[in-house]
Amino acid sequence: MGEAEKRTEKGKSMVATFKQCARYLNPLFKFCRKKVLPDDIHQALLVVVECCMKRDYLAAMDHYNMENNEDVNG
């Protein structure tokens, strides 16, 4: 993405989304580096990755959303 494109509203939104994703992924990467990923996160991540490997991105998103809803709802 060029500098001129980054200055547009769409570009600013894309950059902000990218930075937010990077911030949200940092704790996951720390768990992985330390090799202390909790089992529930490990299992959920495996399901999402398996869906992505099959190129079934909608199913991956559905599994991701189900896991997030369970975390929020308890």
Side-chain angles (χ1 to χ4, degrees):
M1 178 183 298
E3 288 300 317
E5 192 177 357
K6 286 182 184 178
R7 291 189 201 117
T8 66
E9 191 64 35
K10 183 179 178 185
K12 289 178 184 179
S13 176
M14 289 175 65
V15 169
T17 300
F18 177 83
K19 288 181 179 180
Q20 182 181 30
C21 289
R23 278 195 311 270
Y24 287 175
L25 286 173
N26 274 337
L28 175 63
F29 291 150
K30 285 180 184 178
F31 278 136
C32 291
R33 273 195 299 274
K34 293 179 182 178
K35 298 182 181 181
V36 293
L37 191 64
D39 287 335
D40 60 333
I41 295 174
H42 183 262
Q43 291 302 316
L45 195 55
L46 279 176
V47 172
V48 171
V49 169
E50 287 171 359
C51 290
C52 289
M53 290 176 68
K54 295 176 190 172
R55 296 180 181 225
D56 190 355
Y57 304 115
L58 292 177
M61 186 175 65
D62 289 343
H63 285 288
Y64 174 80
N65 288 335
M66 279 193 313
E67 290 299 320
N68 280 347
N69 286 338
E70 287 177 9
D71 289 345
V72 171
N73 296 330

